[in-house]
Amino acid sequence: MGFEGEEESAPKLPKQSIFRYNSPLVQVSLIGLVCFCCPGMFNALSGMGGGGQVDQTAANNANTALYTTFAVFGILGGGIYNILGPRLTLAAGCSTYVLYAGSFLYYNHHKHQTFAIVAGAILGIGAGLLWAGEGAIMTSYPPPNRKGTYISLFWSIFNMGGVIGGLIPFILNYHRNEAASVNDATYIGFMCFMSAGTLFALAILPPSQVVRNDGTRCTHIKYSNVSTEVVEIMKLFLNWKMLLIVPAAWASNFFYTYQFNHVNAALFNLRTRGLNNVFYWGAQMLGSIGIGYVLDFSFQSRRMRGFVGIGIVAALGTAIWGGGLAKQRGYSLNNLPPKLDFKDSGSDFAGPFVLYFSYGLLDAMFQSTVYWIIGALADDSEILSRYVGFYKGVQSAGAAVAWQVDTNKVPMLSQLIVNWSLTTISYPLLILLVMLAVKDDHNKDTVTYTNELANPAPAEDSTKPI
């Protein structure tokens, strides 16, 4: 099965409408809505630390299984996406999120972690499919000179899921300030959103049917097959561009374990953890918008925009991890401070809250920059689906290791130092990648896109839908 809807005739200019269903704007917004409902709610669940449970062992083991299979299917996901197209790939991936949330509803009553671990492994398969497809859509559908803006749009919609998802446990557990584990209604609420996301995935168009305002399409292929995808995926492991991304990919989910379990869960009580997540994912929206503006509009030279974006993220990251180190020196696994409450702890709450907020800000800026760089390496959906799949696979391998590191009670301070080191190592390698692989401009596509908007075709062509 390949991408349906490929046409042989020269493309005609579509309607110049922001609500055109087959426009990149609408389709990127739709994939943002899908991720709002599924990964967004999963992030809110994970962000409470321990999957909302007092004992983090089940969640840590489930996440290890999740990211182990995610590492494999993240890499394979780009090829699967090229064969099946977005609807089947995304819907299949979304359905596994519902099962995962349901496994913790089961754990709330029976305290048997086997179901959660199996559900985590299945979710890893589904997440690999979902994120490979999402990455291909987010990086290939937009016009070449507006990829940062569209990445910011997606990241904002997606992380609104974390904001709403953070409100669910905050509201439902508001009067349970001494509670350790969330109630059943919290998990049921997550499952409802995830089920809706599975249905929304069916509304995504294949790349051959998505038309930019200049009339260009997002892919030139008519179909793909298993043998082609296997060969192309294997080539990624020898692709120097992908190898330069490996440290950033490994780091980009590695720090979640530390931030969720040893900042949010270690320092705050249950209801405050839910509130913190509202602001953590809200900070991600702000961070993605800010860095997206820099990456698209700060300088005329695309390469210079990349250098400046990496520099900003590096400087901010150094400051935030430095603040985290100062705080971490005051507590450890065997010497935890009293749990902070947003209402009762007064000024003691402010510093740790700002730190956790800042971690969310940095995460969005770091990952948005990496996605922008990947998007600058190519424009075709077929190629970018593989690039993003490779990125997500390596990212998930790092996350699997991180959750197991925490299960083995590695000191909090050691985890922080490793996280800070991994992100720091990635900055010069990303600069080198931009220097060697990102073209300074995209003359043909950018000029065509700009000229068509300034000088639209005659009415009989410009108003005819594709």
Side-chain angles (χ1 to χ4, degrees), residues 4-270:
E4 62 266 35
E6 187 75 29
E7 296 183 8
E8 297 292 340
S9 59
K12 298 181 179 65
L13 288 176
K15 291 181 179 180
Q16 301 295 310
S17 169
I18 62 174
F19 299 112
R20 179 169 53 86
Y21 186 64
N22 66 339
S23 70
L25 180 65
V26 169
Q27 292 299 308
V28 170
S29 298
L30 276 174
I31 191 62
L33 183 60
V34 170
C35 290
F36 166 100
C37 292
C38 293
M41 295 298 153
F42 169 83
N43 285 345
L45 177 60
S46 297
M48 291 185 294
Q53 298 292 319
V54 61
D55 184 356
Q56 300 170 358
T57 303
N60 283 354
N61 289 332
N63 280 315
T64 300
L66 190 166
Y67 287 106
T68 299
T69 54
F70 195 168
V72 176
F73 280 85
I75 294 172
L76 297 178
I80 295 171
Y81 171 84
N82 287 339
I83 295 168
L84 299 181
R87 287 173 179 150
L88 286 176
T89 305
L90 297 175
C94 288
S95 64
T96 61
Y97 284 82
V98 186
L99 179 67
Y100 181 80
S103 73
F104 279 93
L105 176 61
Y106 173 86
Y107 186 83
N108 236 12
H109 294 274
H110 301 286
K111 304 302 179 186
H112 297 153
Q113 61 174 310
T114 303
F115 184 16
I117 294 172
V118 172
I122 295 173
L123 174 56
I125 297 172
L129 301 180
L130 173 60
W131 281 105
E134 172 276 329
I137 291 169
M138 184 176 68
T139 56
S140 69
Y141 283 20
N145 60 336
R146 290 294 177 265
K147 292 195 176 187
T149 303
Y150 279 71
I151 290 170
S152 299
L153 172 66
F154 163 81
W155 212 260
S156 296
I157 298 173
F158 156 50
N159 282 299
M160 181 59 72
V163 172
I164 302 300
L167 285 173
I168 292 173
F170 174 66
I171 293 172
L172 295 178
N173 298 279
Y174 180 81
H175 296 293
R176 304 171 72 230
N177 61 323
E178 299 299 325
S181 300
V182 300
N183 57 16
D184 289 354
T186 302
Y187 294 116
I188 293 172
F190 285 139
M191 293 172 69
C192 291
F193 274 101
M194 292 169 176
S195 298
T198 305
L199 297 177
F200 288 138
L202 299 174
I204 302 294
L205 292 176
S208 58
Q209 293 182 10
V210 178
V211 185
R212 303 185 183 106
N213 284 348
D214 63 353
T216 60
R217 297 179 187 271
C218 304
T219 187
H220 303 295
I221 64 168
K222 295 181 181 179
Y223 60 87
S224 188
N225 57 63
V226 174
S227 60
T228 298
E229 293 304 323
V230 169
V231 171
E232 293 302 322
I233 289 171
M234 293 303 295
K235 288 180 180 178
L236 295 176
F237 292 92
L238 299 176
N239 186 323
W240 64 271
K241 299 174 186 177
M242 295 297 97
L243 296 179
L244 287 175
I245 286 176
V246 165
W250 187 276
S252 59
N253 270 188
F254 199 89
F255 48 62
Y256 282 155
T257 306
Y258 172 79
Q259 292 173 4
F260 295 160
N261 284 357
H262 302 313
V263 179
N264 201 24
L267 299 180
F268 304 96
N269 65 8
L270 180 65

